[in-house]
């Protein structure tokens, strides 16, 4: 399962999503005993690999699967108006300039003292207007 964070109306919601439905990934040291237990587990019908020997994933394949990354879905896009909910600029309205899903940050253009000022905020600090 993979955690998927969704931010809607300024509220953070975590959903679980199946990454590889129907598959089970096992990290183990292969010995006669551990291999016997996996092979004879109820519901196990086969293995990815040739014959009865499973093929271990490489470190690169594991990194490419992005197990460390948690995707975040927000309900606003670039050029949308958002209201700042928390922090020193609470209550200000701004325009979304950039969304950085890796850092969970959004760059908002806020009008202060007659000037447009870019401000970097957390996803949870803003809400779509």
């Amino acid at each position: 399962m993979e955690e998927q964070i969704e931010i809607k109306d300024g509220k953070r919601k975590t959903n679980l999503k199946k990454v590889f439905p129907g598959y089970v990934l096992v990290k183990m040291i292969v010995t006669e005993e551990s291999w016997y237990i996996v092979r004879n587990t109820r519901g196990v019908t086969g293995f990815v690999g040739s014959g009865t020997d499973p093929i271990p994933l490489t470190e690169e394949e594991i990194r490419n699967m992005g197990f460390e990354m948690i995707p975040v879905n927000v309900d606003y896009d670039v050029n949308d108006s958002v209201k700042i909910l928390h922090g020193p600029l609470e209550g200000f309205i701004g325009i979304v300039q950039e969304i950085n899903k890796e850092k969970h940050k959004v760059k908002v253009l806020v009008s202060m003292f007659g000037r447009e000022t870019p401000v970097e905020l957390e996803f949870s600090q803003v809400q779509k207007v």
Side-chain angles (χ1 to χ4, degrees), residues 84-125:
I84 300 174
L85 303 172
H86 310 289
L89 300 175
E90 183 176 331
F92 277 80
I93 305 288
I95 306 290
V96 175
Q97 288 234 290
E98 183 182 314
I99 298 172
N100 187 331
K101 291 191 177 189
E102 288 83 34
K103 292 184 179 178
H104 298 227
K105 302 261 186 186
V106 60
K107 192 179 285 185
V108 178
L109 201 59
V110 180
S111 181
M112 289 189 292
F113 311 114
R115 278 194 145 154
E116 299 290 317
T117 306
V119 180
E120 191 172 82
L121 302 163
E122 298 284 332
F123 283 162
S124 60
Q125 287 181 279

Side-chain angles (χ1 to χ4, degrees), residues 14-29:
T14 304
N15 298 323
L16 290 175
K17 177 185 160 197
K18 292 181 181 177
V19 180
F20 299 105
Y23 288 85
V24 175
L25 300 177
V26 179
K27 181 176 182 178
M28 65 183 234
I29 298 171

Side-chain angles (χ1 to χ4, degrees), residues 73-87:
N73 296 324
V74 290
D75 63 343
Y76 46 82
D77 291 312
V78 174
N79 296 325
D80 283 352
S81 292
V82 292
K83 180 179 181 180
I84 300 174
L85 303 172
H86 310 289

